[in-house]
Amino acid sequence: MSTAAPRTAGPDHLWSVDEHLDDILATVRPLEPIELNLLDAQGCVLVEDVTVPVSLPPFDNSSMDGYAVRVADVAGASEQYPAALDVVGDAAAGQAGLLHVGPGQAVRIMTGAPLPPGAETVVPVEWTDGGLGEGPVAGMRARSLAPEGATGQVYVYRPAPARAHVRAEGSDVKAGDRALAAGTVLGPPQISLLAAIGRGTVRVRPRPRVVVLSTGSELVQPGEELRPGQIYDSNSFALTAAARDAGAIAYRVGAVADDAATLRDTIEDQLVRADLMVTTGGVSVGAYDVVKEALSYAGDEDEPGSGVEFRKLAMQPGKPQGFGSIGPDHTPLLALPGNPVSSYVSFELFVRPAIRTLMGLEDVHRPRTRATLTADGALTSPKGRRQFLRGRYADGTVTPVGGAGSHLVAALAQADALIVVPEDAESVAPGTEVEVVLLG
Amino acid sequence: MSTAAPRTAGPDHLWSVDEHLDDILATVRPLEPIELNLLDAQGCVLVEDVTVPVSLPPFDNSSMDGYAVRVADVAGASEQYPAALDVVGDAAAGQAGLLHVGPGQAVRIMTGAPLPPGAETVVPVEWTDGGLGEGPVAGMRARSLAPEGATGQVYVYRPAPARAHVRAEGSDVKAGDRALAAGTVLGPPQISLLAAIGRGTVRVRPRPRVVVLSTGSELVQPGEELRPGQIYDSNSFALTAAARDAGAIAYRVGAVADDAATLRDTIEDQLVRADLMVTTGGVSVGAYDVVKEALSYAGDEDEPGSGVEFRKLAMQPGKPQGFGSIGPDHTPLLALPGNPVSSYVSFELFVRPAIRTLMGLEDVHRPRTRATLTADGALTSPKGRRQFLRGRYADGTVTPVGGAGSHLVAALAQADALIVVPEDAESVAPGTEVEVVLLG
């Protein structure tokens, strides 16, 4: 799990986007599974093959409201020559004790009720007079209003073959069948099946708890007053929302001032509730880049295998990045740059896959597609760096929004895609086919 | 808001899927907006046009770690003939009090720090000796380790034009610009922008609170023991999960036995936390269909405009449906059939759009597409009813999973699409192009 070990790459190595991502994905491991209540497991990945313990349905039951009868008793029945049967009682779903249907008898049966012994088939109530003696009816009267409906005589106007309107025991799933395979993501239909076979709890990988903290003495909480030189903290809000969106339980920690000791204390304090830590800011080459300063400390000899490495990536935005693990549990930490657009793009490319890897998902990346660039002029891009421009994607075309500046958060809010300009391209003309990362 | 008023349709009218849906969408209204903390508003629809109160960035600031200088002082600088400047101090982000850059002077500046008065441009630290006198450096040393870096002399090796590496005040957004329009759904990038412009709270339509209850005396909570004639309650789990998935805050109420008074009490008790009520079961033509029985009561003369209407839909599965409103606030209620697949399909077609209408979303429906049917044989469908078969969609083709039986919850868990067979089709041959509803 360590990323602190010296790398062959060396400290001056310019990391490619893929090298950095590969390092993260090779380091981060799916969380240990736990047993969760069914509804708490929504969106989680199942880690067990779930076997059906009892067949579904567990017993032959009626698929209609009607009468459970013997086939011979209704053979040849018609409106002109109805079959007259004695109603011996009601079979309602969930009722204990089964009535018996003898020759010439019928049990009034409700959808889902077990087929009574002796009965061979079900005639829907619409094929009968419902016991009222006035021709075919549209339905039964509520038992509470008309209790006599469970007795007396019923006229049946149509025959039914054996086992008509009967759902056979095990016709849905059979005991011993595999209901769901390990690796299945639990959405509503899977939760439906698990409940139906009686599973109140299920073994899954939990949602990762992600602690998000921003750093910077210039940061002020939105809603408060801005003094000269200050700006609002947006990264901790954006990344908390993005972490939730990726499937995590996200905790936002307010902005931490540029002081290494305070930052270290805050991180150590938060570790207890973190499966993943994400910081923004303080990772570049300045004299006040405290994330770098504070976290080089975390990799000392007291905690072997722990440490955060700071890198330069061949990427724009998002050149300075930190990755490693901290604390006694080697909790993975991603240190993102502080510019709002840089941190958001870095989140999408590196943190989201890390979160989804922790969840045990197969599919950890945003979908990508190819699109034709629509723009007023050629896009320019620095040679040797992979550029991610914000764009809007529609019907196979993508249009840039805003410029390349990493602080253009207003444009980011209009984007639904990232346009990928490869390392070797310095200019991309309109009409060129480009790679696009589809956001949300 | 009432659906209790007599309809021209009449009680025997067979409702089409579209008529039922139109009635729901014409009745359900978006929830009243409330002011929410930014992160509580994630996924919600903004109801105000948000205007930028202060320009972003609010002041000219450095986009690099480096030195703030006058253009003339570094003109013609090279590695051979560097410009030597006196460092008068540090400008760090968030620091109060601005130093002044005079001729021959430099302020060491950090990314995000305001451009000091007198300075005209920024040279990145990589273009300087960082004050160490040993040629170009890769970055600054941390101030805590090397406080002398804020003083002394710096050699600059490259010239810079005016305002290089300066982010101009208002270059992202200007005060008075519209940041976001009413109707915008707030995802992470929109939350980022709102935080950046200082909005701690925002006016949105809240997530609807949906109460889900299943009915049936045969229903047992998963994890408990099944006695003869009993089955596990799956609907309340499935629909609670599905309601969350649609964006709601969902409350699952355990299964209610088939007793109208109990059901009525439970519903009345739950109303206080419901923006929408969803029931399953008890809506058909049986003598124990208590939802029907209990809710006809809800429309009495004490509560004008209130009432639930029970209908037959030209649909399979999902023929019996109830819709209306109950209680003093005319809370909308959808009464779905009890078969697990029927209730789930009904949820997707009717409840999900209702939830998303309550949220104020424009796009309330699941996406649909057309696909080529792949199957071993022709699909059969009852004439006059629109059938929704479970299927798997991939690359323009759809393959049915499981049969048409409405209890085949195991097959539903394998499906990711609904195959729509129109009312007038009784058979659909493999190779036919069909309409498909894409689930999740």
Side-chain angles (χ1 to χ4, degrees), chain B residues 114-192:
Chain B
L115 191 70
E120 297 161 341
T121 192
V122 171
V123 286
V125 66
E126 294 92 337
W127 298 4
T128 77
D129 75 339
L132 302 179
E134 294 171 0
V137 292
M140 300 176 192
R141 293 186 65 201
R143 181 173 168 267
S144 57
L145 303 174
E148 71 280 6
T151 59
Q153 204 172 51
V154 65
Y155 283 102
V156 177
Y157 301 115
R158 287 174 61 177
R163 300 184 70 76
H165 313 111
V166 173
R167 298 170 183 145
E169 174 186 342
S171 60
D172 194 343
V173 286
K174 289 201 165 45
D177 281 0
R178 193 178 69 179
L180 293 174
T184 302
V185 182
L186 302 181
Q190 291 76 33
I191 287 173
S192 179

Side-chain angles (χ1 to χ4, degrees), chain A residues 210-291:
Chain A
V210 175
V211 170
V212 177
L213 59 88
S214 50
T215 67
S217 297
E218 76 278 25
L219 299 180
V220 173
Q221 169 106 351
E224 295 183 4
E225 206 186 337
L226 217 52
R227 290 200 302 269
Q230 294 184 325
I231 59 170
Y232 290 110
D233 172 23
S234 61
N235 286 344
S236 68
F237 290 88
L239 300 195
T240 300
R244 283 185 192 163
D245 199 62
I249 297 163
Y251 301 113
R252 177 190 158 266
V253 177
V256 179
D258 288 328
D259 174 73
T262 306
L263 179 63
R264 211 145 48 209
D265 287 350
T266 305
I267 289 176
E268 280 172 11
D269 195 44
Q270 292 290 331
L271 266 180
V272 67
R273 63 168 177 173
D275 296 312
L276 176 69
M277 299 265 327
V278 180
T279 66
T280 66
V283 293
S284 193
V285 295
Y288 296 70
D289 279 333
V290 292
V291 172

